[in-house]
C-alpha cells in the first residue's frame, strides 16, 4: 500500500468503517423492518470491499470507493440538513477529509475552490504530537490527561472576509490499538511527563512514533464563531499593550471589524474628545486616523458634527448611524458632517461614543464605501465590544497622561494645577512632533495680562535670633574647651596649653558682644585644626582628661562638628513656624481655587512667601472678571490674618519664641509671566514688568519715610501700594474684616522711604486682632495685649 500519512506521530492512521458497520450489523437484526432493511442494504454495499472493515492507509482508495463510502455515511450526513450543517468525515491529526456536507464544500469553494485545504490554527508539530500522546494515555493506559483545546479553522469567504469556525470532534467510530513498539508505562513515567510538557524528546521516548494505530475515522462538526472570535480579538487587541503599540495594530483591528460586520470594505478611525475645549482631537499613534477630522489635528464638535449627531454622541452618549451618506447630505443641504464624509467617498458610517460614567472620552468611527453596509441595526452589534474599547481608551488615556506628566516633569518639574492644561497642550504637541519624526522642543509657556498678588509672613529679626543662637553655642563650646585646657595646664604645665587658652579667650572676647561675619568659620577652623588634635593626644595619655574630653565630645553635633544646642532650638522653631503657616495656606488655597482658578506658589524661607496670578489666560475656558481679582485680594488678607493667629497660638510651644510680621504687595497693573525653562519656575516677563520683582525683593527691608522705623512690625498687617484706588479698596476690606474680628480700629497710612529704582510707594498698617482659643471670636486682642496675656 502507498503511505499517505505522517510518520512522525505516536499514532499511525488506518481508515476503517468497522465500528460504524458493526452498528449496522446490530441494526440488521432489529425488529423494526425499516431499520433492518436499511442496515442490510448498507452492509451489502460494503461487503465486496473487506478493506473498508480491515482498514487501509492508501488515500487513493478513498476516491475509488467514494460512492460506497458516501452510502455508508448517509445517516451521518443526512441530505435534509446538508446545506445547513458544517460537517466532515476525516482522519484524526490530519487534513485528509473524505466526506463533507454541502455547506462545507461551499465554504471551501468560496475560499479558493476544491483544492483549498483548511489548516487548524495555532497547532504546531510538537503540540500535535503531545496531543496524540494524551489520547493514547487516556484511551489505552487509562490515565486522565486533560489537554483539550478549542480548535479552529480560519477560512476566507468569497468577499475575502475571514470567517472563523470552531471544530468539535466525534470519536465514536475510532479505536486506538498498540503496536509491537508500544511501551509499558508506570506512574513514575507519567509523573515525569507531567513535569516536562515542553520536552518533546521525552514524550517521544515514552511513547515512540507509530507505536499505536488509530483504526476508524472522526466526525468533525463545525460552527461559525466569527462574531464571538471577532469580539475576542478586539478585546485581546485592545487589552494587550504590546498589540496596541505595534505598527500593524490598526490593520489587524480593521480586519477584525470586517469579520465582525461581515463586509470587506470597513475602515476604522478614532478621535479623542477634549471637554475643556469641546473639540475632537486626533489620536497620534501608529496607523491611527480620523474620518471626522481628515487632515485637521482638531475640530470643534459643532463644526465636526451636525445637530442630530451632536445630540446623540455628546448629550445622549448613543450611536449615530448614517446608512446612506449621499442621501443624508442632500437632505441636510450639505451639512459639514455629511459633506466631509462624502468628499472621502464614504457611503455609510457609524459613529459610536466611547464614554465612561456619562463622560465622553472619544468616538469610534466605522465607515464603509458602500451604502447601507453600516446602519442603525447592525450598530447595535457594537454593544458587545464597546466595554472593551472604553476600557482600552481609559487605559490609553492614563498611559498618555503618564507620558504627558513625564514630559512635563522632565521639562518643567512640578506644575500647578491651574496652569497644567497649558503645559499639557504643549506636551501633547511635543509628543506629536516626536512621533512625526521632527526634532521636538518644549516651547516656553507665557501667560499675558495677568494680575499679581504677593504676600509674606516673615519671621521678625530672624538673622539676629540666628546669630544669638550661634553666639551662645560658640561661647559654651569655647568655655568647655577652656576648662579642659585649664586642667591639662594644671597637670603638665606645658606652655602650649597656656597659649591655646589665651587664644580661646581671645575668641570668647571677640564674640561676647556680637557675632561678626567671619567669627563662626574662624572658630570652627581653630577647633578642627588645633584643638581637636591636642584633645586626641590628651585622651591617650591621661584617663581623667579623657573623661572630660569625652563629655565635651558628647555635646558636639556629629553633623556640624560643633555645639548645636541653641541653634537646634532656633532651627526647630523656624521649621515649626513654616510648617504651621504653609499648612494653613495650602488648606485655604483649595477653597480659593474653587472660587476661581488662579496660579499659586508658596515657598518657605524664614517664614512663608506666596505668589498668585489671576487672569483670563490662566483659566483659558472661563470668563475672567475683575470681581475675581478683588475677591482674591480680600481672601488673601483674611487668610494672612488667620496665619498670624495660627502663629501666635503656636508661639508659646516654641523653644525660641519668634515673632512674625506680615506684608501684602498690591500691584494693579497686569503683566506677563513666563515659565523659565532653565530655572523651572514662573517669572515676570519683560523689562517693564521687572519693576514688580524689584519691589518684591526690597519692600520688607524698607523704612517709613523720614524715620528709622522699619515698615513691617509684629502685630500689624502691612499693605504696600502706589495708587489711590488701591488704598480705598483695601481700607474697605479692612473695615469689613474688622467687623469679622480680624482687625482693630487702629489704621495708619505711611509713606515709604524711596528704594533703589523705586519711589512713590505708600502703605496701610492695620493692627491685627488675635484670639487666644480656637474659634474664640469674642476673646480677641491686640498684639500688645496678646503678649501680656501670653506672659501672664
Amino acid at each position: 500500500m502507498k503511505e499517505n500519512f505522517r510518520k512522525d506521530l505516536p499514532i499511525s492512521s488506518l481508515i476503517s468503517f468497522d465500528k460504524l458497520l458493526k452498528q449496522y450489523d446490530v441494526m440488521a437484526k432489529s425488529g423494526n423492518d425499516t431499520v433492518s432493511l436499511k442496515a442490510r442494504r448498507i452492509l451489502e454495499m460494503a461487503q465486496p470491499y473487506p478493506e473498508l472493515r480491515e482498514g487501509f492507509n492508501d488515500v487513493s482508495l478513498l476516491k475509488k470507493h467514494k460512492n460506497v463510502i458516501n452510502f455508508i455515511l448517509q445517516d451521518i450526513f443526512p441530505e435534509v440538513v446538508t446545506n445547513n450543517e458544517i460537517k466532515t468525515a476525516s482522519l484524526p491529526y490530519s487534513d485528509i477529509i473524505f466526506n463533507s456536507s454541502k455547506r462545507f464544500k461551499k465554504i471551501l469553494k468560496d475560499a479558493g475552490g476544491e483544492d483549498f485545504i483548511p489548516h487548524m490554527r495555532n497547532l504546531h508539530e510538537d503540540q500535535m504530537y503531545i496531543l496524540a500522546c494524551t489520547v493514547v494515555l487516556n484511551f489505552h493506559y487509562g490515565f486522565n490527561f486533560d489537554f483539550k483545546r478549542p480548535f479552529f479553522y480560519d477560512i476566507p469567504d468569497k468577499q475575502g472576509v475571514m470567517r472563523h469556525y470552531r471544530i468539535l470532534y466525534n470519536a465514536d467510530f475510532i479505536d486506538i490499538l498498540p503496536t509491537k513498539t508500544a511501551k509499558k508505562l508506570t506512574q513514575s513515567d507519567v509523573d515525569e511527563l507531567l513535569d516536562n510538557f515542553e520536552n518533546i524528546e521525552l514524550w517521544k521516548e515514552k511513547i515512540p512514533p507509530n507505536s499505536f494505530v488509530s483504526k476508524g475515522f472522526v466526525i468533525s462538526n463545525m460552527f461559525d464563531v466569527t462574531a464571538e472570535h471577532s469580539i475576542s480579538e478586539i478585546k485581546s487587541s485592545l487589552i494587550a499593550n504590546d498589540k496596541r503599540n505595534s505598527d500593524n495594530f490598526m490593520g489587524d483591528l480593521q480586519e477584525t471589524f470586517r469579520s465582525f460586520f461581515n463586509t470587506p470594505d470597513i475602515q476604522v478611525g478614532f478621535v479623542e474628545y477634549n471637554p475643556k475645549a469641546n473639540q475632537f482631537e486626533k489620536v497620534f499613534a501608529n496607523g491611527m486616523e480620523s474620518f471626522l477630522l481628515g487632515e485637521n489635528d482638531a475640530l470643534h464638535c459643532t463644526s465636526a458634527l451636525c445637530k442630530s449627531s451632536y445630540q446623540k454622541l455628546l448629550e445622549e452618549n448613543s450611536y449615530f448611524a448614517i446608512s446612506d451618506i449621499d442621501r443624508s447630505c442632500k437632505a441636510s443641504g450639505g451639512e459639514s458632517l455629511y459633506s466631509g464624509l462624502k468628499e472621502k467617498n464614504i457611503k455609510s458610517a457609524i459613529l459610536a461614543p466611547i464614554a465612561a460614567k456619562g463622560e465622553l472620552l472619544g468616538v469610534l468611527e466605522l465607515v464603509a464605501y458602500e451604502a447601507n453596509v453600516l446602519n442603525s441595526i447592525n450598530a447595535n452589534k457594537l454593544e458587545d465590544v464597546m466595554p472593551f474599547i472604553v476600557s482600552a481608551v481609559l487605559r490609553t488615556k492614563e498611559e498618555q497622561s503618564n507620558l504627558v506628566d513625564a514630559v512635563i516633569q522632565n521639562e518643567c518639574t512640578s506644575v500647578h494645577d491651574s496652569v497644567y492644561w497649558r503645559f499639557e497642550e504643549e506636551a501633547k504637541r511635543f509628543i506629536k512632533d516626536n512621533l512625526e519624526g521632527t526634532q521636538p522642543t518644549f516651547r516656553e509657556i507665557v501667560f499675558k495680562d495677568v494680575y499679581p498678588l504677593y504676600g509674606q509672613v516673615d519671621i521678625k529679626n530672624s538673622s539676629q535670633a540666628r546669630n544669638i543662637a550661634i553666639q551662645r553655642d560658640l561661647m559654651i563650646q569655647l568655655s568647655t574647651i577652656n576648662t579642659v585646657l585649664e586642667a591639662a595646664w594644671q597637670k603638665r604645665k606645658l606652655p602650649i596649653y597656656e597659649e591655646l587658652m589665651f587664644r580661646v579667650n581671645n575668641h570668647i572676647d571677640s564674640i561676647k558682644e556680637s557675632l561678626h561675619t567671619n567669627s563662626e568659620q574662624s572658630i570652627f577652623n581653630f577647633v578642627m585644626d588645633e584643638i581637636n588634635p591636642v584633645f586626641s593626644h590628651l585622651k591617650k595619655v591621661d584617663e581623667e582628661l579623657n573623661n572630660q574630653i569625652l563629655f565635651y565630645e558628647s555635646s558636639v553635633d556629629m553633623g556640624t562638628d560643633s555645639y548645636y544646642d541653641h541653634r537646634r532650638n532656633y532651627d526647630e522653631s523656624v521649621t515649626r513656624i513654616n510648617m504651621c503657616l504653609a499648612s494653613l495656606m495650602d488648606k485655604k488655597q483649595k477653597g480659593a481655587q474653587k472660587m476661581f482658578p488662579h496660579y499659586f506658589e508658596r515657598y518657605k524661607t524664614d517664614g512663608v512667601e506666596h505668589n498668585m496670578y489671576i487672569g483670563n489666560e490662566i483659566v483659558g475656558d472661563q470668563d475672567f472678571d475683575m470681581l475675581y481679582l478683588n475677591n482674591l485680594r480680600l481672601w488673601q488678607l483674611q487668610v494672612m490674618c488667620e496665619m498670624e493667629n495660627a502663629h501666635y497660638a503656636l508661639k508659646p510651644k516654641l523653644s525660641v519664641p519668634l515673632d512674625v510680621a506680615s506684608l501684602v504687595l498690591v500691584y494693579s497693573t497686569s503683566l506677563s509671566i513666563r515659565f523659565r525653562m532653565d530655572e523651572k519656575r514662573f517669572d515676570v516677563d519683560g523689562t517693564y514688568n521687572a519693576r514688580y520683582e524689584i519691589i518684591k525683593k526690597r519692600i520688607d527691608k524698607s523704612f517709613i519715610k523720614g524715620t528709622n522705623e522699619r515698615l513691617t512690625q509684629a502685630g500689624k498687617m502691612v499693605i504696600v501700594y502706589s495708587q489711590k484706588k488701591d488704598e480705598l479698596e483695601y481700607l474697605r476690606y479692612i473695615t469689613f474684616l474688622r467687623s469679622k474680628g480680624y482687625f482693630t480700629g487702629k489704621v495708619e497710612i505711611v509713606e515709604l522711604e524711596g528704594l533703589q529704582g523705586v519711589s512713590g510707594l505708600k502703605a496701610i498698617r492695620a493692627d491685627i486682632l488675635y484670639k487666644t482659643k480656637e474659634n474664640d471670636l469674642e476673646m480677641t486682642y491686640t498684639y500688645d495685649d496678646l503678649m501680656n496675656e501670653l506672659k501672664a
Side-chain angles (χ1 to χ4, degrees):
M1 290 185 185
K2 182 181 178 183
E3 292 282 349
N4 287 283
F5 307 99
R6 293 177 56 174
K7 297 180 181 180
D8 57 349
L9 291 175
I11 304 174
S12 59
S13 297
L14 282 178
I15 302 171
S16 170
F17 301 93
D18 185 48
K19 288 194 75 172
L20 176 60
L21 292 173
K22 282 180 178 179
Q23 290 195 21
Y24 284 121
D25 288 338
V26 175
M27 292 167 62
K29 300 173 183 178
S30 169
N32 187 317
D33 292 341
T34 303
V35 171
S36 63
L37 179 61
K38 182 177 182 180
R40 287 196 299 271
R41 288 180 60 197
I42 290 172
L43 293 171
E44 289 172 2
M45 179 71 80
Q47 187 176 3
Y49 313 105
E51 62 267 30
L52 295 180
R53 281 186 183 265
E54 294 169 2
F56 58 91
N57 56 12
D58 185 353
V59 178
S60 65
L61 293 179
L62 290 171
K63 187 174 182 180
K64 179 180 178 181
H65 300 312
K66 179 179 179 181
N67 293 332
V68 178
I69 292 172
N70 288 345
F71 192 78
I72 293 172
L73 298 176
Q74 62 180 280
D75 285 342
I76 296 174
F77 293 89
E79 188 67 23
V80 293
V81 292
T82 190
N83 290 313
N84 182 270
E85 288 187 340
I86 310 173
K87 183 185 291 187
T88 67
S90 63
L91 291 182
Y93 324 115
S94 169
D95 293 321
I96 296 176
I97 297 171
F98 52 82
N99 202 355
S100 58
S101 65
K102 288 182 179 179
R103 184 177 176 191
F104 182 76
K105 291 177 181 177
K106 184 177 185 303
I107 289 171
L108 294 188
K109 182 179 179 182
D110 290 343
E114 295 181 0
D115 294 334
F116 181 87
I117 300 176
H119 297 283
M120 277 186 286
R121 181 203 312 162
N122 295 335
L123 191 64
H124 57 72
E125 289 187 5
D126 288 353
Q127 285 194 343
M128 179 72 82
Y129 194 98
I130 295 172
L131 173 62
C133 287
T134 60
V135 173
V136 169
L137 289 168
N138 290 344
F139 287 93
H140 177 73
Y141 291 104
F143 294 104
N144 185 22
F145 271 61
D146 183 9
F147 188 50
K148 294 178 182 177
R149 290 179 53 200
F151 298 113
F152 296 92
Y153 282 145
D154 301 324
I155 306 174
D157 64 15
K158 61 183 177 181
Q159 294 179 307
V161 176
M162 190 62 70
R163 312 293 298 175
H164 307 280
Y165 303 91
R166 182 169 181 178
I167 309 165
L168 297 179
Y169 287 107
N170 182 337
D172 288 346
F173 305 110
I174 199 167
D175 284 317
I176 304 295
L177 306 172
T179 67
K180 292 180 180 180
T181 58
K183 296 183 176 182
K184 292 183 179 180
L185 297 184
T186 65
Q187 183 64 50
S188 176
D189 293 322
V190 174
D191 291 342
E192 190 176 359
L193 291 173
L194 285 172
D195 291 331
N196 292 277
F197 175 80
E198 300 294 339
N199 189 346
I200 187 64
E201 297 304 322
L202 179 66
W203 286 88
K204 288 182 177 180
E205 177 193 333
K206 303 296 183 185
I207 307 175
N210 301 309
S211 56
F212 287 84
V213 173
S214 68
K215 183 180 179 181
F217 66 96
V218 293
I219 302 296
S220 303
N221 291 282
M222 284 161 276
F223 303 91
D224 190 336
V225 292
T226 302
E228 292 84 351
H229 178 271
S230 299
I231 292 171
S232 177
E233 281 296 294
I234 291 170
K235 177 182 178 181
S236 174
S237 297
L238 295 171
I239 288 176
N241 190 57
D242 58 335
K243 290 188 178 182
R244 286 185 290 119
N245 292 329
S246 67
D247 291 338
N248 57 349
F249 166 70
M250 283 304 297
D252 292 344
L253 192 62
Q254 286 186 154
E255 283 298 323
T256 304
F257 269 107
R258 287 166 184 169
S259 296
F260 188 55
F261 281 94
N262 194 27
T263 185
D265 69 344
I266 281 182
Q267 286 192 278
V268 182
F270 289 95
V271 286
E272 185 179 4
Y273 176 63
N274 182 344
K276 194 176 186 69
N278 192 30
Q279 67 181 20
F280 292 133
E281 298 176 354
K282 185 170 287 187
V283 178
F284 295 100
N286 291 327
M288 201 78 73
E289 63 177 317
S290 167
F291 304 98
L292 285 176
L293 297 181
E295 298 300 318
N296 300 302
D297 287 346
L299 272 180
H300 196 275
C301 293
T302 54
S303 299
L305 302 174
C306 63
K307 185 177 180 180
S308 298
S309 58
Y310 187 97
Q311 180 178 346
K312 283 279 189 180
L313 294 171
L314 274 79
E315 297 176 8
E316 299 176 12
N317 289 162
S318 60
Y319 307 119
F320 185 76
I322 315 166
S323 59
D324 190 329
I325 286 173
D326 290 343
R327 184 178 68 236
S328 297
C329 186
K330 183 177 180 180
S332 69
E335 283 190 330
S336 58
L337 170 63
Y338 306 112
S339 60
L341 294 174
K342 184 177 180 181
E343 287 175 4
K344 300 175 183 68
N345 204 33
I346 296 168
K347 301 298 182 183
S348 58
I350 295 173
L351 303 178
I354 304 169
K357 297 180 180 179
E359 295 183 5
L360 186 67
L361 306 172
V363 175
L364 168 67
E365 308 166 348
L366 298 174
V367 301
Y369 299 93
E370 185 179 340
N372 300 320
V373 166
L374 298 172
N375 51 68
S376 62
I377 295 175
N378 60 15
N380 288 278
K381 294 179 69 173
L382 291 171
E383 291 287 347
D384 295 320
V385 299
M386 289 309 292
F388 308 125
I389 295 175
V390 170
S391 177
V393 169
L394 286 171
R395 189 167 54 257
T396 300
K397 285 180 75 69
E398 182 177 350
E399 291 168 358
Q400 184 180 17
S401 177
N402 291 339
L403 179 58
V404 168
D405 282 345
V407 171
I408 293 174
Q409 289 291 330
N410 183 61
E411 299 292 331
C412 315
T413 67
S414 59
V415 173
H416 190 255
D417 290 345
S418 62
V419 294
Y420 182 84
W421 64 273
R422 181 65 187 86
F423 286 83
E424 186 178 34
E425 284 182 353
E426 185 60 23
K428 287 181 177 179
R429 187 200 59 78
F430 183 96
I431 294 167
K432 174 194 168 188
D433 287 350
N434 190 42
L435 287 170
E436 292 177 349
T438 59
Q439 188 65 33
T441 57
F442 202 96
R443 297 178 301 203
E444 288 186 322
I445 307 295
V446 178
F447 294 102
K448 297 179 180 179
D449 295 325
V450 296
Y451 293 89
L453 296 93
Y454 171 76
Q456 67 174 42
V457 181
D458 189 42
I459 296 175
K460 286 291 291 178
N461 301 319
S462 57
S463 297
Q464 181 182 346
R466 182 186 293 107
N467 286 342
I468 290 172
I470 295 171
Q471 181 186 25
R472 288 174 177 173
D473 280 337
L474 290 176
M475 291 285 287
I476 295 170
Q477 183 176 8
L478 291 171
S479 297
T480 307
I481 290 171
N482 232 357
T483 301
V484 176
L485 292 173
E486 175 71 26
W489 162 250
Q490 292 297 335
K491 283 192 170 190
R492 302 293 177 101
K493 299 296 183 179
L494 295 179
I496 189 65
Y497 298 144
E498 191 175 14
E499 191 271 341
L500 285 173
M501 290 166 59
F502 172 76
R503 292 167 64 189
V504 168
N505 288 324
N506 282 343
H507 280 299
I508 291 174
D509 290 339
S510 71
I511 63 171
K512 189 176 293 183
E513 298 299 326
S514 61
L515 187 70
H516 300 292
T517 306
N518 63 340
S519 296
E520 182 182 5
Q521 187 62 47
S522 177
I523 293 170
F524 178 82
N525 293 338
F526 169 66
V527 172
M528 294 295 293
D529 297 340
E530 302 191 50
I531 298 297
N532 287 351
V534 172
F535 279 11
S536 296
H537 167 72
L538 290 173
K539 283 197 296 183
K540 297 175 184 176
V541 300
D542 192 305
E543 185 175 348
E544 184 180 343
L545 289 175
N546 179 56
N547 292 332
Q548 289 188 50
I549 294 170
L550 288 176
F551 174 76
Y552 159 77
E553 289 177 342
S554 67
S555 300
V556 174
D557 182 72
M558 294 180 64
T560 61
D561 285 325
S562 58
Y563 268 41
Y564 187 63
D565 184 19
H566 290 85
R567 272 178 290 178
R568 179 184 292 107
N569 291 337
Y570 170 81
D571 289 342
E572 288 178 352
S573 297
V574 170
T575 299
R576 290 190 67 183
I577 292 171
N578 285 345
M579 289 181 63
C580 173
L581 299 181
S583 175
L584 178 59
M585 175 63 90
D586 291 346
K587 181 180 178 182
K588 295 293 184 179
Q589 248 294 302
K590 294 177 181 178
Q593 291 292 341
K594 292 178 181 178
M595 297 177 193
F596 193 82
H598 55 278
Y599 178 78
F600 169 79
E601 65 177 359
R602 62 119 181 102
Y603 39 96
K604 302 173 187 174
T605 53
D606 284 347
V608 175
E609 298 178 46
H610 66 270
N611 288 309
M612 295 185 287
Y613 299 100
I614 189 169
N616 197 65
E617 283 213 359
I618 286 178
V619 289
D621 62 336
Q622 297 186 40
D623 291 328
F624 171 72
D625 189 276
M626 293 298 289
L627 172 70
Y628 297 116
L629 171 62
N630 299 334
N631 180 74
L632 193 59
R633 286 176 169 177
L634 177 58
W635 172 88
Q636 179 190 36
L637 204 57
Q638 180 175 332
V639 169
M640 289 183 67
C641 287
E642 292 175 8
M643 291 169 71
E644 284 263 2
N645 269 277
H647 167 261
Y648 286 107
L650 175 68
K651 185 175 178 179
K653 306 171 188 176
L654 300 175
S655 302
V656 181
L658 299 165
D659 283 326
V660 298
S662 297
L663 178 146
V664 171
L665 174 60
V666 184
Y667 200 81
S668 293
T669 306
S670 65
L671 45 75
S672 297
I673 56 173
R674 180 184 298 271
F675 190 85
R676 306 292 181 185
M677 303 301 293
D678 52 345
E679 299 177 11
K680 309 296 186 186
R681 62 182 296 272
F682 275 105
D683 199 357
V684 295
D685 188 39
T687 305
Y688 175 76
N689 295 327
R691 181 174 183 270
Y692 173 71
E693 287 294 329
I694 293 172
I695 296 173
K696 274 172 49 179
K697 291 176 181 177
R698 299 175 180 172
I699 192 70
D700 65 326
K701 300 294 190 293
S702 60
F703 293 87
I704 296 176
K705 190 172 184 179
T707 73
N708 292 322
E709 182 183 350
R710 285 282 293 270
L711 173 65
T712 54
Q713 296 290 331
K716 295 180 183 291
M717 180 67 66
V718 175
I719 304 160
V720 178
Y721 60 93
S722 61
Q723 299 186 29
K724 185 66 176 179
K725 66 182 184 65
D726 296 329
E727 176 185 302
L728 297 175
E729 179 182 345
Y730 274 86
L731 287 174
R732 291 201 314 271
Y733 297 157
I734 291 169
T735 301
F736 168 71
L737 291 176
R738 177 189 174 190
S739 70
K740 306 286 283 185
Y742 288 93
F743 291 107
T744 71
K746 185 177 180 181
V747 176
E748 58 180 327
I749 297 175
V750 297
E751 192 173 344
L752 274 63
E753 196 72 59
L755 303 172
Q756 183 180 356
V758 180
S759 61
L761 294 178
K762 299 178 72 175
I764 299 170
R765 296 206 303 187
D767 284 15
I768 301 169
L769 273 176
Y770 297 92
K771 53 187 179 181
T772 57
K773 295 181 181 178
E774 189 68 26
N775 298 324
D776 186 0
L777 295 179
E778 297 299 324
M779 296 295 290
T780 53
Y781 299 82
T782 65
Y783 173 76
D784 292 334
D785 292 338
L786 182 62
M787 293 302 99
N788 293 330
E789 179 73 15
L790 293 175
K791 292 175 183 176

